[in-house]
Amino acid sequence: GENVEQHPSTLSVQEGDSAVIKCTYSDSASNYFPWYKQELGKRPQLIIDIRSNVGEKKDQRIAVTLNKTAKHFSLHITETQPEDSAVYFCAAPGEYNFNKFYFGSGTKLNVKP
Amino acid sequence: DAGVIQSPRHEVTEMGQEVTLRCKPISGHNSLFWYRQTMMRGLELLIYFNNNVPIDDSGMPEDRFSAKMPNASFSTLKIQPSEPRDSAVYFCASTAGAGNTEAFFGQGTRLTVV
């Protein structure tokens, strides 16, 4: 199956700074890479995703980059705010068409005001 | 749509008892997933269904765990007998269509086995 590694496990930044979280995957056939945000005591929710036909996608302060050759993708959050504090998970599918997602181990982001 | 609905939200049970977790996916979604979340192991995929059929249950930890999806709008995850190490948050999620798309998670069931 797919092996998804995520780092760092914790990240602390000052409000207004940028945060970058990285993930690597093992299955070269993977073609869809979502990022989920989980606030304390709540469910994971999709914040951005990217498909393998593009190298970068941006949505306001959030962007994701994908390097298929190196099999890694990253989440970039600019101008961080305290409400960005949460656990972020990357994921990659193990089998095309069946949505079998393997999640990374999560990154706990703390944005200090 | 109200989203993915799980019940109960919290469950406290004694070791050895049977526990049944329930999930109602989003109407029209054809894939359903059960995940377990713990501090030590993160989000683990236990089993997933496509069109009500179990596709892969390789993540189910032991024979004490079983899951069913009798129809497109209902799934259960059963633990019998339960053990303290089963304590975790169990999430159900569903997705629409074939191909990779967003997974919508339920609120989760926090299970405590004492």
Side-chain angles (χ1 to χ4, degrees), chain B residues 46-57:
Chain B
L46 302 178
I47 184 171
Y48 77 99
F49 296 83
N50 191 48
N51 292 324
N52 312 339
V53 177
I55 301 299
D56 188 340
D57 64 355

Side-chain angles (χ1 to χ4, degrees), chain A residues 5-43:
Chain A
E5 295 189 359
Q6 180 174 348
H7 57 94
S9 57
T10 59
L11 179 59
S12 189
V13 300
Q14 206 66 39
E15 181 177 0
D17 288 350
S18 295
V20 181
I21 303 169
K22 298 180 180 181
C23 283
T24 60
Y25 61 98
S26 59
D27 187 348
S28 57
S30 293
N31 62 355
Y32 174 70
F33 307 93
W35 284 91
Y36 287 80
K37 175 183 179 182
Q38 186 178 26
E39 296 177 352
L40 187 63
K42 297 191 176 179
R43 74 187 91 185

